[in-house]
Amino acid sequence: MSKETELDPVEAKMWISVTINGAKNAYLVEHRMTLADFLRKVVGLSGTHLGCEHGSCGACTVIMNGKAVRSCLLLGVQADGASIETVEGLAQDGALTSLQEAFHVNHALQCGYCTSGFLMSLVAQLRDGPIETEAEAREALSGNICRCTGYTGMVKALLNLPASNGQIGEGL
Amino acid sequence: MKPSQFAYHAPTELEEVLDLLAQYGDDAKVLAGGQSLMPMMNFRLLSPAHIVDINRVSSLAGFSLSDAGLFIGALARHREVEVSPEVELAFPILHEGLTNVAHVQIRNRGTICGSLAHADSAAELPSIMMALDARLNIRSKGSERVALAEDFFRFHLTSDLGPGELLVSVDIPAMSKNAFGVFEEITRRKGDFALVGVAVVGSWDENGKFQECRIVCSGVAPTPLRLREAENFVTGTDLSEAVLVAVQQLVMESLVPTEDIHSSAEYRKKVTGVIVRRGLARLTGQRRVQNV
Ligand SMILES: Cc1cc2nc3c(=O)[nH]c(=O)nc-3n(C[C@H](O)[C@H](O)[C@H](O)COP(=O)(O)OP(=O)(O)OC[C@H]3O[C@@H](n4cnc5c(N)ncnc54)[C@H](O)[C@@H]3O)c2cc1C
Ligand code: FES
Ligand code: FES
């Protein structure tokens, strides 16, 4: 590294303003911190999990400006001005959403490590339209990996959502 | 903290991007969708000193369709182009190829130009761009040039882009009314990189003969590979069953594919023959549909 490009660790930070689960705040973030680590370590929202940290497993999926994304493949500083939704934003005052409830009832989770990533992927996809067939359910699940359940519980959960399943965020 | 330390730049104007790339040269990396760059940085396979994030340069966003063809800006995401009904109608092969790139969550961020700049030999888009004879518009501080897709890919993960250069957009020329294109691939699991893929494009002349054929494979060589012998073999024919059987045989006998942990050369050879035939067979179907 040339002298010019040597970095002062204190300098390699910036202030960002970001809306997380509806609350807007300013944070000081290191340039090189991923969005996942930012959410977990700076904001303290550890519901977003890290499995592979290279985009393959989907455990870190969050919703950024309405789109499901891998938070391990974004930098925290890239969230400046953005709106982020994490799994902590789903249940209100302990009341599960219909999707979470369907996961619970249909045994769609065992260890739960992958669950927050699945939920956020599915919330984004359900907002785009209902998931009605097994093929659609499997396609919707295909971007995330679960090592425990074999996916059958999740397929069942999706196919047993209340009909108005676009209304994710509401209780059952 | 996964990536090693770097200085983050988030310019909002194209000229600023080109200035930064000129200033830092080899020490800088462009950050587009980050879906290939970030994994490499998280693993520290790459430790660039400067990251030039182009995501805030609004002039690089979006795509547009006209009589001349499809213009794709550097920030057009896989997903936004994939879900455009107009693109699906004008370039079904591109739509089909895009649905095969990774998963929705990755396509929401990944860019088409990023895929081309990244030049993965197993990626779908480089071979599709070659089959569609796309032109890549490249800028650097004080200069600009156009590269044919055919000349752009140099090796696995190596494109024709030099330090300081930015791929600003891609132009795909419009396809004629009688031209069709399809994409076929073999993967172990949907969303994975393909073991082999093939983009097949061609048109039907007034005598019902197949013309202007391009067959471009991914995953068999360090760059997308045009199967010229096979192209010549099918050109001027009616793609009858006999022709399809013979071209499958020709591909299986002539191809010398790369070998890696994902599959043997022998396997790649066989399935490439199969998907070339499948692709061409679908084009005969499209002609019949059109004639009805
Ligand atoms: C789990 C997973 C599965 C995947 N599966 C597939 C698959 O099946 N098929 C496939 O094709 N891809 C796949 N990818 C890769 C994905 O398509 C990437 O989005 C793409 O390869 C790179 O695009 P990007 O915009 O994310 O580029 P980035 O990651 O931002 O950049 C990639 C490289 O290109 C350079 N670059 C980017 N844009 C430009 C530009 N405009 N000008 C100059 N240089 C530039 C960067 O500096 C970097 O070196 C997968 C990725 C993941 C994480
Ligand atoms: S931790 Fe991000 S995809 Fe696995
Ligand atoms: S429930 Fe354990 S990984 Fe999915």
Side-chain angles (χ1 to χ4, degrees):
Chain A
M1 226 191 264
S2 67
K3 193 142 197 239
E4 198 190 9
T5 60
E6 256 171 50
L7 288 177
D8 175 345
V10 182
E11 293 292 306
K13 287 186 181 177
M14 77 182 245
W15 279 96
I16 65 168
S17 156
V18 49
T19 305
I20 300 170
N21 299 327
K24 189 169 176 175
N25 273 305
Y27 303 90
L28 185 61
V29 192
E30 266 189 78
H31 290 169
R32 62 173 169 152
M33 186 174 248
T34 64
L35 176 60
D37 283 341
F38 163 71
L39 290 169
R40 290 174 56 83
K41 295 178 180 172
V42 178
V43 188
L45 295 176
S46 56
T48 299
H49 292 170
L50 284 161
C52 66
E53 303 186 70
H54 67 276
S56 297
C57 73
C60 67
T61 305
V62 300
I63 298 176
M64 177 160 142
N65 296 334
K67 303 231 160 29
V69 295
R70 308 290 210 216
S71 63
C72 69
L73 300 186
L74 279 157
L75 296 169
V77 291
Q78 290 186 289
D80 190 19
S83 166
I84 307 282
E85 294 165 73
T86 70
V87 70
E88 287 88 348
L90 293 184
Q92 299 299 319
D93 301 321
L96 298 182
T97 63
S98 51
L99 178 65
Q100 287 173 310
E101 188 65 32
F103 261 54
H104 171 60
V105 172
N106 293 286
H107 305 287
L109 61 150
Q110 289 178 23
C111 78
Y113 198 86
C114 66
T115 309
S116 48
F118 273 100
L119 289 173
M120 299 320 284
S121 287
L122 294 172
V123 166
Q125 293 184 71
L126 285 165
R127 283 179 189 158
D128 285 344
I131 295 168
E132 285 165 332
T133 64
E134 176 170 351
E136 283 171 10
R138 291 199 176 272
E139 171 70 25
L141 296 167
S142 69
N144 295 62
I145 290 175
C146 173
R147 287 298 187 217
C148 302
T149 64
Y151 307 97
T152 43
M154 283 189 254
V155 171
K156 251 171 79 188
L158 282 171
L159 298 181
N160 288 296
L161 277 176
S164 60
N165 57 11
Q167 311 274 308
I168 293 304
E170 319 249 324
L172 249 185
Chain B
M1 205 79 65
K2 283 81 196 184
S4 55
Q5 220 165 70
F6 55 79
Y8 174 75
H9 308 270
T12 53
E13 300 297 327
L14 176 57
E15 290 306 325
E16 286 176 73
V17 173
L18 301 179
D19 283 345
L20 287 162
L21 294 179
Q23 185 180 350
Y24 297 118
D26 264 342
D27 286 341
K29 271 280 173 196
V30 171
L31 174 60
Q35 304 300 292
S36 294
L37 181 59
M38 285 295 294
M40 293 196 291
M41 287 169 57
N42 283 352
F43 284 143
R44 301 204 179 186
L45 294 170
L46 275 179
S47 300
H50 293 271
I51 286 294
V52 181
D53 183 351
I54 61 173
N55 285 282
R56 296 187 192 267
V57 185
S58 52
S59 64
L60 295 175
F63 63 93
S64 62
L65 199 58
S66 68
D67 290 346
L70 178 62
F71 169 89
I72 303 173
L75 280 180
R77 317 275 171 195
H78 292 130
R79 183 70 175 167
E80 69 183 286
V81 177
E82 173 198 341
V83 299
S84 155
E86 294 80 19
V87 171
E88 185 177 355
L89 201 65
F91 296 98
I93 180 178
L94 179 61
H95 171 81
E96 194 176 14
L98 285 166
T99 61
N100 281 297
V101 175
H103 308 282
V104 172
Q105 299 89 332
I106 289 159
R107 300 200 295 273
N108 276 339
R109 286 301 295 180
T111 65
I112 290 179
C113 287
S115 278
L116 302 178
H118 189 58
D120 192 303
S121 59
E124 288 81 2
L125 294 171
S127 54
I128 290 171
M129 293 298 168
M130 239 164 94
L132 294 175
D133 198 19
R135 275 113 173 111
L136 285 71
N137 304 309
I138 299 166
R139 298 236 351 226
S140 56
K141 191 177 163 68
S143 77
E144 56 187 306
R145 67 187 178 98
V146 179
L148 292 179
E150 182 123 32
D151 303 324
F152 185 73
F153 305 102
R154 290 296 167 86
F155 198 72
H156 179 53
L157 305 184
T158 308
S159 77
D160 183 44
L161 289 172
E165 284 192 320
L166 182 76
L167 176 56
V168 287
S169 59
V170 180
D171 278 303
I172 308 179
M175 292 175 81
S176 76
K177 271 213 177 59
N178 306 320
F180 299 93
V182 294
F183 184 81
E184 288 280 337
E185 73 174 34
I186 303 280
T187 45
R188 285 191 192 277
R189 181 175 166 269
K190 182 155 189 307
D192 283 2
F193 272 101
L195 297 175
V196 294
V198 66
V200 186
V201 171
S203 62
W204 295 103
D205 69 14
E206 61 278 17
N207 301 318
K209 303 290 182 212
F210 194 57
Q211 307 291 355
E212 303 175 290
C213 174
R214 283 195 181 209
I215 304 177
V216 190
C217 285
S218 46
V220 297
T223 64
L225 184 70
R226 263 187 91 167
L227 304 185
R228 287 179 192 273
E229 220 184 322
E231 290 175 3
N232 292 336
F233 186 83
V234 296
T235 298
T237 73
D238 54 1
L239 294 186
S240 65
E241 192 59 23
V243 172
L244 296 181
V245 171
V247 74
Q248 174 177 359
Q249 197 61 32
L250 174 76
V251 172
M252 283 181 181
E253 279 165 10
S254 57
L255 195 68
V256 188
T258 40
E259 188 159 43
D260 56 30
I261 52 165
H262 304 296
S263 80
S264 67
E266 197 54 34
Y267 179 75
R268 281 205 164 91
K269 227 167 138 117
K270 280 212 177 111
V271 292
T272 307
V274 171
I275 60 175
V276 166
R277 175 178 169 174
R278 261 184 213 163
L280 287 166
R282 283 175 62 200
L283 291 183
T284 63
Q286 302 199 336
R287 174 188 51 172
R288 282 190 208 109
V289 170
Q290 205 206 18
N291 285 348
V292 174

